[in-house]
Amino acid sequence: QVQLVESGGGVVQPGGSLRLSCAASGFTFSSYGMHWVRQAPGKGLEWVAFIRHDESNKYYADSVKGRFTISRDNSKNTLYLQMNGLRAEDTAVYYCAKDPGCCRYFDYWGQGTLVTVSS
Amino acid sequence: EIVLTQSPGTLSLSPGERATLSCRASQSISSSYLAWYQQKPGQAPRLLIYGASGRATDIPDRFSGSGSGTDFTLTISRLEPEDFAVYYCQQYGSSPWTFGQGTKVEIK
């Protein structure tokens, strides 16, 4: 069965950096695009970034463009999100989510990792 | 950017009743590229519906989706106790891929 396990969340000061990881199993990771989606406390869902299966294209929400970088290591079945220049408004649970391959929705989700940006 | 507006914000119903949730888009969504998700407290979202009306794997047939263009609906034919949750619609017709603000289905 598909499993996605995020890690790397924590408390960081404004302006700081953090790298999130998502370990994938139960499917051929190298064949599917992957996303990061976040949810601020008590708020709705916001798509953050997408990477194609072969890293040929990457897409970002305007709110994180230039500060966040999505990447993957297909040899390790792992997705990453490098977050720099963190702001208070980046505080959220960050989910990794699998793309079905054809279209940009989210057919499987991890349990999420909490990032708190606070001084 | 396509803005999705969900209504109502909260739906108060009893088990066994029918739930009808609405999702309206600020512009037409190509090819009915609309999905619905269910989220329970402390859990990740779960895919229910894709392509406006396709049921995801292992989703009970009491969940159904319909609509096209700018107006979409999620219907739960008979609410079970485990269906009380927050529901989000999401469009994937054009980037950035956006979500509605959610509809909470609560026990009356």
Side-chain angles (χ1 to χ4, degrees), chain A residues 6 20-22 35-37 47-49 70 79-81 95-96:
Chain A
E6 302 94 336
L20 306 183
S21 299
C22 171
H35 301 264
W36 288 99
V37 178
W47 168 78
V48 172
I70 189 171
L79 175 72
Y80 302 101
L81 186 67
Y95 297 100
C96 68

Side-chain angles (χ1 to χ4, degrees), chain A residues 70-88:
Chain A
I70 189 171
S71 63
R72 63 192 296 158
D73 186 336
N74 285 343
S75 69
K76 295 182 178 179
N77 289 350
T78 303
L79 175 72
Y80 302 101
L81 186 67
Q82 177 67 43
M83 304 185 295
N84 299 330
L86 283 161
R87 306 167 180 167

Side-chain angles (χ1 to χ4, degrees), chain A residues 38-103:
Chain A
R38 69 184 180 183
Q39 185 170 36
K43 302 297 184 182
L45 300 165
E46 179 188 18
W47 168 78
V48 172
F50 169 70
I51 185 169
R52 290 195 186 276
H53 66 96
D54 58 0
E55 292 195 271
S56 58
N57 289 97
K58 303 175 184 181
Y59 301 85
Y60 299 93
D62 285 347
S63 57
V64 306
K65 202 172 292 182
R67 299 187 299 124
F68 289 12
T69 301
I70 189 171
S71 63
R72 63 192 296 158
D73 186 336
N74 285 343
S75 69
K76 295 182 178 179
N77 289 350
T78 303
L79 175 72
Y80 302 101
L81 186 67
Q82 177 67 43
M83 304 185 295
N84 299 330
L86 283 161
R87 306 167 180 167
E89 55 265 34
D90 296 318
T91 294
V93 174
Y94 285 74
Y95 297 100
C96 68
K98 175 183 167 293
D99 187 278
C102 65
C103 333

Side-chain angles (χ1 to χ4, degrees), chain A residues 35 37 39 43-47 49-50 59-62 95 102-112, chain B residues 1 33 35 37 39 42-47 49-51 57 88 90-92 95-101:
Chain A
H35 301 264
V37 178
Q39 185 170 36
K43 302 297 184 182
L45 300 165
E46 179 188 18
W47 168 78
F50 169 70
Y59 301 85
Y60 299 93
D62 285 347
Y95 297 100
C102 65
C103 333
R104 305 289 88 83
Y105 60 90
F106 319 105
D107 57 357
Y108 293 94
W109 299 63
Q111 85 290 348
Chain B
E1 170 175 325
Y33 282 165
Y37 303 86
Q39 187 177 34
Q43 296 185 18
R46 177 176 71 145
L47 175 67
I49 300 288
Y50 61 92
T57 304
Y88 294 94
Q90 177 240 334
Q91 67 80 23
Y92 51 100
S95 177
W97 305 294
T98 51
F99 292 89
Q101 83 281 15

